Amino acid sequence: MPKEPTENISVTMPINLLQILDHFCCECDLNRSQAIARAVRLYVGTKIAKTPAFWDREYHRLQEEGKI
């Protein structure tokens, strides 16, 4: 599977949060980029899933695919 293109960014966060992130990364064998990308996916996915429009689109997609 080909890798997705990436881009370097810069973020600023409180030092204590960064220390927690680094500890988590060490415990889970992740680098900062991997952990932050997972956190962003989870955050955005949670926000999107709370919108009725998301569920309408998902329902229609599943209907079109004959899954429901």
Side-chain angles (χ1 to χ4, degrees), residues 1-2 13 30-31 37 45 48 50-52 54-55 57 65 68:
M1 176 187 260
M13 68 176 63
L30 298 171
N31 62 44
I48 291 170
K50 288 183 178 180
T51 64
F54 168 81
W55 294 105
R57 285 190 309 271
E65 292 177 5
I68 56 172

Side-chain angles (χ1 to χ4, degrees), residues 3-4 14 24-25 35 46 48 56-57:
K3 285 180 91 174
E4 290 183 60
F24 174 80
C25 288
T46 299
I48 291 170
D56 287 341
R57 285 190 309 271

Side-chain angles (χ1 to χ4, degrees), residues 1-56:
M1 176 187 260
K3 285 180 91 174
E4 290 183 60
T6 61
E7 185 169 334
N8 288 326
I9 63 167
S10 176
V11 297
T12 302
M13 68 176 63
I15 291 172
N16 61 343
L17 184 57
L18 182 59
Q19 290 172 337
I20 292 168
L21 174 63
D22 286 342
H23 177 74
F24 174 80
C25 288
C26 185
E27 292 290 313
C28 296
D29 194 29
L30 298 171
N31 62 44
R32 285 179 179 170
S33 294
Q34 292 169 319
I36 291 171
R38 288 180 184 191
V40 170
R41 281 189 201 98
L42 178 62
Y43 178 80
V44 172
T46 299
K47 294 296 182 184
I48 291 170
K50 288 183 178 180
T51 64
F54 168 81
W55 294 105
D56 287 341

